[in-house]
Amino acid sequence: MKAIAEAPSKAIITGEHFVVHGAWALAAALPRRVRAEVSESHRISVTSDRFSSAEAHGLHPIIGVVEAMAKEFSFNARMRVSLRSEVPEGAGLGSSASAMVAVVSAVSRLHSLDLQPSDIIRFSMVGEREIHGNPSGIDAAVCAMGGVVLFRPGNAPKRLSLEGRRTLIVVFSGKRRSTKSQIRRVAAVKGTFPSFFGGLTEAASEVSLIAAERLAKGDMKGLGRILSFNHAVLSTIGVSCRSLDKLVDLVLSLGAYGAKLTGAGGGGSVVAVAPGGKEKSIISGLRGRGFEAFRAEIPVEGVKSWLNR
Ligand code: PMV
C-alpha cells in the first residue's frame, strides 16, 4: 500500500526576514506542487526527481522528519519516500517546506494518524530547522494550510478570506541562493543596529497588516504600492542584489502595479501584481527575456493526501 500527498509551494507577499524577528508576514500558497509517495520498505530511503543519487545527502532532513514521527507514534521508520517536484530549489518559493509538508502528510495517511495542520507544521519544522537554521515557520504553515495566511511566530496563523480570486505574477531570477546565509546576514544587521532594526520590524509588521486588507478587498493597485515599498525596505537591510533590483525594475517597466523580492532574497524570485489586462503581456515579456515567469491564481488549496491500495 502506498500513501500519496501533494503540497503547494508559496510566495511571501510581505514581511519576509522581519517575520523571523517577530513581525507579521503575509504569504500565499502557489499552484506549483511537490508530490510525496511513501510505502513500507526494509530500510528508510528518500529519492527525488530533482537530486541525483550523488546529491541524495541533501535529502537527509526528510529522514529526520520521518524518524521524529516514528518515535512519537511508535511505528517503524523503515519506508521508501519518493518526491516529485514542480518547484525550483533556492528560488524563494518554499520548495523544502512543500516537500516536508507533503512527506509528513503522506506518512500520516499511511499510518492513519489524522494529523491536524498544526501537527503537520510541527513535524515539518524538524526538517526545516535542519536546512535553514532558524526559520520562522511561515513556509510550512502556508504549504500545509493553503490559501493566504497572516503569520507571526507565537500566534496561530490566520487564514485570510478573499472576496474573489486574485492573481500574482511570480518570476524566478534564475539565481539560486541559501536561505540560511540570508537569515544570518539579517541577524548581523540586527546585531549592529538593534534600534534601527526594531523600527523596521514594526514597520514591516504594519505593512503586512495593510497588505492583507488591500488583498482581501481586491485593491491590487494599493497592494502594488506596498510591495514596492517593502522591496525598498528589504534592500535597506541588504537582502536584495543587483539582479533582483533589475528584475523588479523590469516588471514595473512592463506595467506592473508593484513588485518585490519574495523569500530570502539574494537571488530567488520576484512577486508582482498588475492590472488585469496587463498580466499576460508582462509574463510573455519576462519569458521573452529568458525568465521563468508564471501567473498564480489564488487562493490555492493546502496539502492533500490519499491512499493508493
Ligand atoms: O526563500 P525561502 O522560501 O526560504 O523563504 C524564507 C523566508 C524568510 O523570512 C527569509 C525566512 C523565514 O523562515 O521566515
Side-chain angles (χ1 to χ4, degrees):
M1 191 172 52
K2 202 187 259 186
I4 300 167
E6 282 183 358
S9 50
K10 66 90 217 201
I12 297 183
I13 299 172
T14 54
E16 54 272 270
H17 284 294
F18 295 103
V19 65
V20 174
H21 304 278
W24 283 107
L26 182 68
L30 297 180
R32 292 198 171 192
R33 294 183 170 80
V34 175
R35 178 183 171 102
E37 295 191 4
V38 303
S39 53
E40 281 172 355
S41 177
H42 59 286
R43 67 184 181 95
I44 185 160
S45 68
V46 186
T47 55
S48 160
D49 63 343
R50 296 225 165 220
F51 288 85
S52 68
S53 54
E55 294 165 325
H57 61 273
L59 298 168
H60 183 265
I62 301 223
I63 295 181
V65 167
V66 174
E67 286 175 345
M69 294 179 76
K71 191 168 170 207
E72 184 157 328
F73 297 107
S74 309
F75 59 77
N76 198 320
R78 289 195 291 255
M79 58 184 81
R80 179 180 299 122
V81 178
S82 94
L83 293 168
R84 251 192 293 151
S85 173
E86 300 168 343
V87 191
E89 281 84 32
L93 302 179
S95 62
S96 65
S98 181
M100 299 302 162
V101 165
V103 168
V104 172
S105 198
V107 171
S108 155
R109 174 69 62 182
L110 189 70
H111 289 278
S112 309
L113 300 177
D114 198 19
L115 292 185
Q116 294 305 301
S118 58
D119 291 315
I120 296 179
I121 297 166
R122 179 166 61 88
F123 285 114
S124 300
M125 288 302 286
V126 173
E128 285 286 273
R129 274 191 215 99
E130 188 175 336
I131 300 174
H132 302 306
N134 178 32
S136 62
I138 188 171
D139 289 13
V142 74
C143 293
M145 296 168 63
V148 181
V149 173
L150 257 175
F151 180 95
R152 178 158 79 167
N155 290 58
K158 293 185 193 173
R159 181 98 190 243
L160 216 70
S161 80
L162 303 183
E163 296 157 16
R165 293 185 70 72
R166 312 273 180 258
T167 303
L168 301 177
I169 294 172
V170 179
V171 47
F172 178 32
S173 67
K175 187 173 167 192
R176 293 173 203 276
R177 82 292 170 278
S178 135
T179 297
K180 195 176 194 167
S181 61
Q182 289 290 100
I183 291 180
R184 277 212 213 102
R185 181 190 283 256
V186 174
V189 174
K190 183 181 180 181
T192 315
F193 304 108
S195 65
F196 163 72
F197 190 85
L200 289 179
T201 305
E202 270 175 40
S205 210
E206 190 63 29
V207 156
S208 294
L209 298 175
I210 299 171
E213 244 177 62
R214 301 278 190 275
L215 181 63
K217 281 194 196 137
D219 173 8
M220 301 310 266
K221 194 170 183 179
L223 178 62
R225 269 199 227 109
I226 294 169
L227 296 191
S228 294
F229 172 75
N230 196 175
H231 182 75
V233 177
L234 289 164
S235 298
T236 307
I237 58 162
V239 294
S240 189
C241 60
R242 192 190 287 264
S243 53
L244 280 180
D245 290 343
K246 277 168 75 176
L247 187 51
V248 164
D249 286 347
L250 173 61
V251 180
L252 294 176
S253 72
L254 290 169
Y257 282 138
K260 65 178 273 291
L261 71 83
T262 182
S269 301
V270 161
V271 63
V273 291
K278 285 253 163 79
E279 288 151 357
K280 226 172 146 187
S281 66
I282 293 175
I283 289 174
S284 60
L286 290 164
R287 287 184 180 158
R289 288 166 177 84
F291 291 106
E292 188 180 337
F294 64 96
R295 184 188 150 108
E297 295 285 335
I298 57 170
V300 161
E301 214 186 338
V303 66
K304 55 183 198 296
S305 65
W306 62 95
L307 283 177
N308 196 346
R309 289 172 203 273

